[in-house]
Amino acid sequence: MGLSMGIVGLPNVGKSTLFNAITNNNIEASNFPFCTIDPNKGMVSVPDDRLQVLSKITKSKKVISAVMEFIDIAGLVKGASKGEGLGNKFLANIREVSAIVHVVRCFENDDIVHVDGSVNPVRDIDVIHTELVLSDVEQCEKAIDNQHKKTRHNDTLEVQRMGVLKQCLDALSQGKALRGLLSSADLELIKEYNFLTLKKVVYLCNVSESDLGTTNDYVKQVQAYVAEHDAGAEVLQLSANFEHELSTLSEEDQVEFLSEYGLTASGLSLLARTSYKLLGLETFLTSGEQETRAWTIPVGTTAPKAAAEIHTDFERGFIRANVIHYSKFVDLGGFKQAKEQGVMRQEGKEYIVQDGDIVEFLFNV
Protein backbone atom coordinates (compact mmCIF):
# COMPACT_ATOMS: atom_id res chain seq x y z
CA MET A 1 0.00 0.00 0.00
CA GLY A 2 1.20 3.54 -0.74
CA LEU A 3 1.20 4.99 2.76
CA SER A 4 2.87 8.28 3.53
CA MET A 5 3.06 10.63 6.50
CA GLY A 6 3.88 14.27 5.77
CA ILE A 7 6.07 15.94 8.41
CA VAL A 8 4.92 19.56 8.73
CA GLY A 9 5.40 22.47 11.10
CA LEU A 10 6.91 25.93 11.38
CA PRO A 11 10.57 26.44 10.46
CA ASN A 12 13.15 25.40 13.08
CA VAL A 13 10.89 23.13 15.13
CA GLY A 14 12.99 20.01 14.45
CA LYS A 15 11.40 18.51 11.32
CA SER A 16 14.61 17.91 9.39
CA THR A 17 16.43 16.63 12.47
CA LEU A 18 13.58 14.18 12.97
CA PHE A 19 13.80 13.18 9.34
CA ASN A 20 17.55 12.67 9.69
CA ALA A 21 16.75 10.18 12.43
CA ILE A 22 14.16 8.47 10.24
CA THR A 23 16.50 7.96 7.33
CA ASN A 24 19.89 8.40 9.01
CA ASN A 25 20.57 10.14 5.73
CA ASN A 26 21.98 13.43 6.99
CA ILE A 27 19.93 15.76 4.80
CA GLU A 28 20.64 19.42 5.44
CA ALA A 29 19.23 20.65 8.75
CA SER A 30 20.43 24.24 9.04
CA ASN A 31 19.41 26.87 11.56
CA PHE A 32 17.41 29.03 9.17
CA PRO A 33 13.96 28.77 7.57
CA PHE A 34 13.35 26.93 4.29
CA CYS A 35 16.58 24.92 4.23
CA THR A 36 14.44 22.04 2.94
CA ILE A 37 13.54 23.05 -0.61
CA ASP A 38 12.14 19.79 -1.98
CA PRO A 39 10.27 17.20 0.06
CA ASN A 40 12.62 14.48 1.24
CA LYS A 41 11.33 10.94 1.48
CA GLY A 42 12.35 8.10 3.76
CA MET A 43 10.97 4.70 4.66
CA VAL A 44 10.47 3.55 8.25
CA SER A 45 9.96 -0.06 9.32
CA VAL A 46 6.92 -0.62 11.50
CA PRO A 47 8.27 -2.47 14.56
CA ASP A 48 6.79 -5.96 14.94
CA ASP A 49 8.38 -8.42 17.37
CA ARG A 50 6.33 -11.26 15.88
CA LEU A 51 8.47 -11.36 12.75
CA GLN A 52 11.64 -12.51 14.47
CA VAL A 53 9.74 -15.17 16.41
CA LEU A 54 8.19 -16.52 13.21
CA SER A 55 11.46 -16.48 11.31
CA LYS A 56 13.08 -18.70 13.94
CA ILE A 57 10.24 -21.22 13.75
CA THR A 58 10.19 -21.41 9.96
CA LYS A 59 13.96 -20.83 9.57
CA SER A 60 13.43 -17.94 7.18
CA LYS A 61 16.38 -16.59 5.21
CA LYS A 62 15.17 -13.01 5.59
CA VAL A 63 12.64 -10.88 7.47
CA ILE A 64 10.71 -8.04 5.82
CA SER A 65 8.83 -5.56 7.99
CA ALA A 66 5.88 -3.45 6.96
CA VAL A 67 7.02 0.06 6.08
CA MET A 68 5.68 3.59 6.03
CA GLU A 69 6.95 6.50 3.98
CA PHE A 70 7.71 9.75 5.78
CA ILE A 71 8.04 12.95 3.76
CA ASP A 72 9.85 15.97 5.19
CA ILE A 73 8.01 19.05 3.91
CA ALA A 74 9.62 22.49 4.24
CA GLY A 75 8.53 24.79 7.06
CA LEU A 76 5.26 26.65 6.64
CA VAL A 77 4.81 30.22 7.89
CA LYS A 78 1.91 32.58 8.41
CA GLY A 79 0.60 33.52 4.96
CA ALA A 80 1.73 30.26 3.31
CA SER A 81 -1.71 29.80 1.72
CA LYS A 82 -1.12 33.14 -0.05
CA GLY A 83 2.40 32.21 -1.11
CA GLU A 84 4.42 33.50 1.86
CA GLY A 85 7.73 31.73 2.38
CA LEU A 86 7.58 28.92 -0.15
CA GLY A 87 3.93 28.36 0.73
CA ASN A 88 1.71 26.96 -2.00
CA LYS A 89 4.37 24.57 -3.27
CA PHE A 90 4.48 22.82 0.11
CA LEU A 91 0.74 22.88 0.67
CA ALA A 92 0.48 20.97 -2.60
CA ASN A 93 2.98 18.41 -1.24
CA ILE A 94 0.81 17.91 1.86
CA ARG A 95 -2.22 17.10 -0.31
CA GLU A 96 -0.47 13.97 -1.54
CA VAL A 97 0.18 12.34 1.86
CA SER A 98 -2.05 9.88 3.73
CA ALA A 99 -1.84 11.73 7.05
CA ILE A 100 0.11 14.50 8.78
CA VAL A 101 2.80 14.49 11.47
CA HIS A 102 2.66 18.02 12.88
CA VAL A 103 5.92 18.71 14.70
CA VAL A 104 5.51 21.24 17.50
CA ARG A 105 8.43 22.87 19.27
CA CYS A 106 8.20 22.15 22.99
CA PHE A 107 11.75 23.04 24.06
CA GLU A 108 13.73 26.17 24.90
CA ASN A 109 17.06 26.78 23.17
CA ASP A 110 18.51 30.27 22.72
CA ASP A 111 20.79 28.98 19.95
CA ILE A 112 17.86 27.91 17.74
CA VAL A 113 15.89 30.90 16.52
CA HIS A 114 12.08 30.60 16.59
CA VAL A 115 10.48 32.11 13.50
CA ASP A 116 8.07 34.08 15.73
CA GLY A 117 10.62 34.99 18.39
CA SER A 118 9.36 32.82 21.27
CA VAL A 119 8.24 29.28 22.11
CA ASN A 120 4.46 29.02 22.16
CA PRO A 121 3.18 25.64 20.93
CA VAL A 122 -0.53 26.53 20.83
CA ARG A 123 0.15 29.65 18.78
CA ASP A 124 2.33 27.58 16.44
CA ILE A 125 -0.38 24.95 15.99
CA ASP A 126 -2.92 27.68 15.23
CA VAL A 127 -0.65 29.18 12.55
CA ILE A 128 -0.40 25.86 10.70
CA HIS A 129 -4.09 25.08 11.25
CA THR A 130 -5.11 28.47 9.83
CA GLU A 131 -2.96 28.05 6.72
CA LEU A 132 -4.38 24.58 6.03
CA VAL A 133 -7.94 25.87 6.52
CA LEU A 134 -7.37 28.87 4.22
CA SER A 135 -5.91 26.63 1.55
CA ASP A 136 -8.96 24.36 1.81
CA VAL A 137 -11.30 27.37 1.56
CA GLU A 138 -9.69 28.32 -1.74
CA GLN A 139 -9.85 24.72 -2.98
CA CYS A 140 -13.49 24.40 -1.91
CA GLU A 141 -14.57 27.65 -3.55
CA LYS A 142 -13.03 26.55 -6.85
CA ALA A 143 -14.72 23.15 -6.54
CA ILE A 144 -18.12 24.77 -5.96
CA ASP A 145 -17.66 27.03 -9.00
CA ASN A 146 -16.92 24.00 -11.16
CA GLN A 147 -19.76 22.03 -9.60
CA HIS A 148 -22.39 24.58 -10.71
CA LYS A 149 -21.94 23.38 -14.30
CA LYS A 150 -22.40 19.74 -13.28
CA THR A 151 -25.66 20.33 -11.41
CA ARG A 152 -27.53 22.02 -14.31
CA HIS A 153 -29.31 18.79 -15.23
CA ASN A 154 -30.14 17.96 -11.61
CA ASP A 155 -28.08 14.77 -11.62
CA THR A 156 -28.69 13.35 -8.14
CA LEU A 157 -25.05 12.52 -7.43
CA GLU A 158 -23.77 15.91 -8.58
CA VAL A 159 -26.41 17.72 -6.53
CA GLN A 160 -25.38 15.70 -3.48
CA ARG A 161 -21.72 16.54 -4.13
CA MET A 162 -22.58 20.24 -4.30
CA GLY A 163 -24.38 19.95 -0.97
CA VAL A 164 -21.35 18.37 0.68
CA LEU A 165 -18.99 21.00 -0.76
CA LYS A 166 -21.22 23.80 0.58
CA GLN A 167 -21.26 22.09 3.98
CA CYS A 168 -17.44 21.96 3.86
CA LEU A 169 -17.14 25.64 2.92
CA ASP A 170 -19.46 26.63 5.76
CA ALA A 171 -17.31 24.76 8.31
CA LEU A 172 -14.02 26.02 6.86
CA SER A 173 -15.30 29.62 6.86
CA GLN A 174 -15.77 29.24 10.61
CA GLY A 175 -12.13 28.15 10.93
CA LYS A 176 -12.99 24.50 11.51
CA ALA A 177 -11.06 21.52 10.18
CA LEU A 178 -13.13 19.02 8.19
CA ARG A 179 -11.89 16.01 10.17
CA GLY A 180 -14.76 14.21 11.86
CA LEU A 181 -17.50 16.36 10.31
CA LEU A 182 -18.58 14.19 7.37
CA SER A 183 -20.13 10.76 6.91
CA SER A 184 -18.27 8.07 4.98
CA ALA A 185 -20.73 8.53 2.10
CA ASP A 186 -20.03 12.28 2.02
CA LEU A 187 -16.28 11.66 2.14
CA GLU A 188 -16.55 9.37 -0.86
CA LEU A 189 -18.27 12.12 -2.84
CA ILE A 190 -15.45 14.65 -2.32
CA LYS A 191 -12.37 12.43 -2.04
CA GLU A 192 -10.93 13.76 -5.33
CA TYR A 193 -10.32 17.18 -3.75
CA ASN A 194 -7.83 15.92 -1.13
CA PHE A 195 -8.75 18.57 1.43
CA LEU A 196 -5.87 19.15 3.83
CA THR A 197 -7.99 19.42 6.97
CA LEU A 198 -9.59 16.03 6.30
CA LYS A 199 -6.23 14.34 6.89
CA LYS A 200 -5.66 12.71 10.24
CA VAL A 201 -2.94 14.22 12.43
CA VAL A 202 -0.29 13.14 14.90
CA TYR A 203 0.87 16.13 16.95
CA LEU A 204 4.50 15.37 17.70
CA CYS A 205 5.91 17.37 20.60
CA ASN A 206 9.64 17.83 20.12
CA VAL A 207 11.22 18.13 23.58
CA SER A 208 14.77 18.41 24.82
CA GLU A 209 16.62 15.27 25.90
CA SER A 210 16.38 16.39 29.54
CA ASP A 211 12.56 16.24 29.30
CA LEU A 212 12.39 12.64 28.05
CA GLY A 213 10.29 10.54 30.39
CA THR A 214 8.43 13.58 31.74
CA THR A 215 5.66 15.84 30.46
CA ASN A 216 6.74 19.47 30.40
CA ASP A 217 4.36 22.44 30.45
CA TYR A 218 4.56 22.94 26.69
CA VAL A 219 3.49 19.34 26.05
CA LYS A 220 0.61 19.75 28.52
CA GLN A 221 -0.53 22.81 26.54
CA VAL A 222 -0.57 20.77 23.34
CA GLN A 223 -2.47 17.94 25.01
CA ALA A 224 -5.11 20.35 26.32
CA TYR A 225 -5.44 22.07 22.94
CA VAL A 226 -5.87 18.81 21.03
CA ALA A 227 -8.36 17.43 23.57
CA GLU A 228 -10.53 20.53 23.02
CA HIS A 229 -10.06 21.19 19.30
CA ASP A 230 -8.97 17.96 17.58
CA ALA A 231 -10.12 15.06 19.72
CA GLY A 232 -9.53 12.41 17.05
CA ALA A 233 -5.83 13.24 16.77
CA GLU A 234 -2.88 11.64 18.57
CA VAL A 235 -0.30 13.45 20.73
CA LEU A 236 3.20 12.01 21.11
CA GLN A 237 6.45 13.38 22.41
CA LEU A 238 10.05 12.64 21.51
CA SER A 239 13.37 14.42 21.25
CA ALA A 240 14.44 14.75 17.63
CA ASN A 241 18.07 15.25 18.67
CA PHE A 242 17.94 12.13 20.84
CA GLU A 243 16.36 10.10 18.02
CA HIS A 244 18.98 11.28 15.56
CA GLU A 245 21.81 10.31 17.90
CA LEU A 246 20.13 6.97 18.60
CA SER A 247 19.83 6.25 14.87
CA THR A 248 23.62 6.37 14.45
CA LEU A 249 24.23 3.57 16.99
CA SER A 250 24.34 -0.20 16.60
CA GLU A 251 21.30 -2.18 17.78
CA GLU A 252 23.17 -3.27 20.92
CA ASP A 253 24.23 0.27 21.76
CA GLN A 254 20.71 1.56 21.08
CA VAL A 255 19.29 -0.70 23.80
CA GLU A 256 21.89 0.58 26.28
CA PHE A 257 21.35 4.21 25.24
CA LEU A 258 17.58 3.90 25.66
CA SER A 259 17.95 2.29 29.09
CA GLU A 260 20.08 5.22 30.27
CA TYR A 261 17.01 7.41 29.79
CA GLY A 262 14.60 4.86 31.25
CA LEU A 263 13.12 4.06 27.82
CA THR A 264 12.33 0.67 26.28
CA ALA A 265 11.60 1.81 22.72
CA SER A 266 12.55 4.70 20.47
CA GLY A 267 10.19 7.56 19.77
CA LEU A 268 10.32 6.66 16.10
CA SER A 269 9.03 3.16 16.84
CA LEU A 270 6.13 4.68 18.73
CA LEU A 271 5.51 7.15 15.90
CA ALA A 272 5.38 4.36 13.31
CA ARG A 273 2.95 2.30 15.42
CA THR A 274 0.77 5.32 16.15
CA SER A 275 0.68 6.31 12.48
CA TYR A 276 -0.38 2.78 11.59
CA LYS A 277 -3.20 2.88 14.14
CA LEU A 278 -4.26 6.37 13.07
CA LEU A 279 -4.70 5.25 9.47
CA GLY A 280 -6.76 2.20 10.47
CA LEU A 281 -4.16 -0.30 9.32
CA GLU A 282 -3.14 -3.78 10.41
CA THR A 283 -0.84 -6.54 9.21
CA PHE A 284 -1.23 -10.11 8.17
CA LEU A 285 1.84 -12.34 8.04
CA THR A 286 3.43 -14.87 5.72
CA SER A 287 6.31 -17.10 6.76
CA GLY A 288 8.42 -19.78 5.15
CA GLU A 289 11.98 -20.78 4.39
CA GLN A 290 12.53 -17.89 1.97
CA GLU A 291 11.11 -15.07 4.07
CA THR A 292 8.91 -13.96 6.93
CA ARG A 293 6.97 -10.84 6.02
CA ALA A 294 4.37 -8.39 7.31
CA TRP A 295 1.80 -7.11 4.79
CA THR A 296 -0.17 -3.92 5.31
CA ILE A 297 -3.95 -3.85 4.84
CA PRO A 298 -6.81 -1.63 6.05
CA VAL A 299 -8.82 -3.06 8.94
CA GLY A 300 -11.79 -4.95 7.46
CA THR A 301 -10.02 -6.26 4.34
CA THR A 302 -11.36 -9.46 2.77
CA ALA A 303 -9.07 -12.40 1.99
CA PRO A 304 -8.95 -11.79 -1.81
CA LYS A 305 -8.09 -8.12 -1.33
CA ALA A 306 -5.38 -9.08 1.16
CA ALA A 307 -4.05 -11.59 -1.37
CA ALA A 308 -3.74 -8.77 -3.91
CA GLU A 309 -1.15 -7.10 -1.67
CA ILE A 310 1.16 -10.02 -2.51
CA HIS A 311 0.23 -10.21 -6.19
CA THR A 312 -2.82 -9.27 -8.25
CA ASP A 313 -2.93 -12.82 -9.64
CA PHE A 314 -3.61 -14.05 -6.09
CA GLU A 315 -6.81 -12.02 -6.01
CA ARG A 316 -7.82 -12.76 -9.60
CA GLY A 317 -7.51 -16.53 -9.18
CA PHE A 318 -8.37 -16.72 -5.46
CA ILE A 319 -9.58 -20.17 -4.35
CA ARG A 320 -9.23 -20.07 -0.58
CA ALA A 321 -6.95 -19.03 2.25
CA ASN A 322 -5.37 -21.29 4.85
CA VAL A 323 -5.32 -19.26 8.05
CA ILE A 324 -3.92 -19.61 11.56
CA HIS A 325 -3.45 -16.81 14.04
CA TYR A 326 0.09 -15.96 15.16
CA SER A 327 -0.52 -16.89 18.81
CA LYS A 328 -1.75 -20.40 17.99
CA PHE A 329 0.99 -20.90 15.43
CA VAL A 330 3.67 -20.09 18.02
CA ASP A 331 2.02 -22.25 20.69
CA LEU A 332 1.96 -25.24 18.33
CA GLY A 333 5.44 -24.65 16.91
CA GLY A 334 4.82 -24.41 13.16
CA PHE A 335 2.72 -25.29 10.12
CA LYS A 336 3.26 -29.07 10.37
CA GLN A 337 1.86 -29.29 13.90
CA ALA A 338 -0.98 -26.88 13.08
CA LYS A 339 -2.09 -28.99 10.13
CA GLU A 340 -1.72 -32.26 12.05
CA GLN A 341 -3.96 -30.95 14.82
CA GLY A 342 -6.49 -29.46 12.39
CA VAL A 343 -6.00 -25.93 13.66
CA MET A 344 -5.26 -24.42 10.23
CA ARG A 345 -8.60 -23.07 8.97
CA GLN A 346 -9.79 -22.84 5.37
CA GLU A 347 -11.44 -19.50 4.65
CA GLY A 348 -13.26 -18.23 1.55
CA LYS A 349 -13.79 -14.95 -0.26
CA GLU A 350 -15.90 -13.36 2.49
CA TYR A 351 -13.35 -13.89 5.27
CA ILE A 352 -12.16 -10.67 6.93
CA VAL A 353 -8.43 -10.97 7.58
CA GLN A 354 -7.42 -10.19 11.18
CA ASP A 355 -4.26 -8.55 12.48
CA GLY A 356 -1.73 -11.28 13.19
CA ASP A 357 -3.26 -13.87 10.86
CA ILE A 358 -0.67 -16.07 9.17
CA VAL A 359 -2.04 -16.80 5.72
CA GLU A 360 -1.33 -19.17 2.82
CA PHE A 361 -3.29 -18.23 -0.32
CA LEU A 362 -4.38 -20.86 -2.83
CA PHE A 363 -5.10 -19.49 -6.31
CA ASN A 364 -5.38 -20.55 -9.94
CA VAL A 365 -5.05 -18.29 -13.00
Side-chain angles (χ1 to χ4, degrees):
M1 295 181 66
L3 305 168
S4 57
M5 303 292 291
I7 303 172
V8 305
L10 292 174
N12 294 348
V13 297
K15 299 185 310 303
S16 292
T17 303
L18 174 68
F19 189 77
N20 285 343
I22 287 172
T23 62
N24 198 14
N25 199 31
N26 294 315
I27 62 168
E28 186 178 9
S30 303
N31 183 22
F32 58 89
F34 316 124
C35 69
T36 308
I37 302 303
D38 292 311
N40 296 275
K41 298 182 180 181
M43 306 302 291
V44 175
S45 295
V46 180
D48 192 335
D49 295 336
R50 298 173 299 190
L51 296 176
Q52 293 298 334
V53 176
L54 284 181
S55 70
K56 289 179 181 177
I57 293 174
T58 60
K59 298 180 173 58
S60 300
K61 293 177 182 177
K62 60 182 177 180
V63 173
I64 303 175
S65 301
V67 295
M68 297 196 74
E69 182 180 59
F70 283 80
I71 301 175
D72 179 33
I73 296 169
L76 296 171
V77 292
K78 190 172 184 179
S81 60
K82 302 301 180 186
E84 289 295 322
L86 297 170
N88 284 323
K89 175 182 172 68
F90 301 125
L91 289 169
N93 291 330
I94 300 170
R95 290 198 188 280
E96 302 308 314
V97 301
S98 306
I100 293 171
V101 178
H102 184 164
V103 181
V104 186
R105 179 169 170 172
C106 292
F107 65 89
E108 296 277 2
N109 188 328
D110 293 338
D111 294 329
I112 301 177
V113 179
H114 191 289
V115 71
D116 287 324
S118 62
V119 179
N120 184 329
V122 170
R123 177 202 60 207
D124 294 355
I125 290 172
D126 274 334
V127 168
I128 301 296
H129 170 77
T130 298
E131 294 309 317
L132 300 186
V133 167
L134 289 173
S135 183
D136 274 357
V137 166
E138 184 178 351
Q139 176 98 335
C140 196
E141 287 175 341
K142 289 179 181 176
I144 288 173
D145 285 343
N146 291 332
Q147 196 63 23
H148 279 299
K149 303 169 189 174
K150 299 177 182 179
T151 56
R152 287 174 183 166
H153 302 292
N154 289 320
D155 179 277
T156 302
L157 196 64
E158 299 300 347
V159 171
Q160 288 176 344
R161 184 174 286 112
M162 174 66 93
V164 177
L165 287 169
K166 287 182 175 179
Q167 182 184 348
C168 290
L169 184 59
D170 181 58
L172 291 164
S173 299
Q174 297 175 53
K176 297 177 182 177
L178 298 178
R179 284 186 296 280
L181 297 184
L182 302 175
S183 68
S184 57
D186 288 344
L187 289 172
E188 185 65 23
L189 284 171
I190 61 165
K191 66 179 181 180
E192 67 189 86
Y193 300 109
N194 257 342
F195 289 122
L196 300 174
T197 62
L198 275 176
K199 297 183 185 297
K200 296 183 178 182
V201 181
V202 178
Y203 292 93
L204 192 63
C205 300
N206 186 16
V207 301
S208 64
E209 294 182 28
S210 60
D211 281 335
L212 285 172
T214 64
T215 305
N216 68 29
D217 288 340
Y218 292 135
V219 175
K220 289 176 183 176
Q221 290 171 30
V222 174
Q223 290 172 334
Y225 175 93
V226 173
E228 182 178 355
H229 299 285
D230 203 352
E234 297 280 348
V235 180
L236 297 177
Q237 77 169 45
L238 55 68
S239 166
N241 283 334
F242 176 86
E243 296 296 325
H244 186 214
E245 186 174 355
L246 183 68
S247 72
T248 65
L249 304 176
S250 67
E251 286 189 22
E252 186 177 324
D253 288 342
Q254 284 184 10
V255 173
E256 184 176 342
F257 193 51
L258 285 167
S259 67
E260 289 177 11
Y261 284 82
L263 303 173
T264 57
S266 73
L268 291 183
S269 295
L270 185 58
L271 174 59
R273 288 194 184 102
T274 302
S275 301
Y276 226 61
K277 174 185 171 186
L278 189 76
L279 291 169
L281 304 174
E282 62 186 12
T283 52
F284 72 90
L285 310 166
T286 57
S287 190
E289 288 185 10
Q290 292 303 312
E291 67 177 33
T292 291
R293 183 164 183 165
W295 301 88
T296 302
I297 53 173
V299 172
T301 298
T302 61
K305 290 295 182 185
E309 289 299 317
I310 300 176
H311 198 286
T312 53
D313 283 351
F314 283 29
E315 178 184 17
R316 189 158 57 92
F318 181 89
I319 299 173
R320 67 173 185 272
N322 293 332
V323 182
I324 181 172
H325 194 267
Y326 166 82
S327 57
K328 285 188 177 180
F329 183 86
V330 173
D331 286 344
L332 292 171
F335 286 112
K336 183 173 180 290
Q337 296 89 329
K339 288 174 180 176
E340 286 174 351
Q341 296 192 31
V343 178
M344 183 81 77
R345 310 188 313 273
Q346 294 186 349
E347 301 287 357
K349 293 182 178 180
E350 303 303 316
Y351 178 68
I352 303 297
V353 177
Q354 304 296 308
D355 185 72
D357 276 350
I358 301 171
V359 188
E360 292 179 334
F361 293 107
L362 281 73
F363 70 102
N364 182 31
V365 291

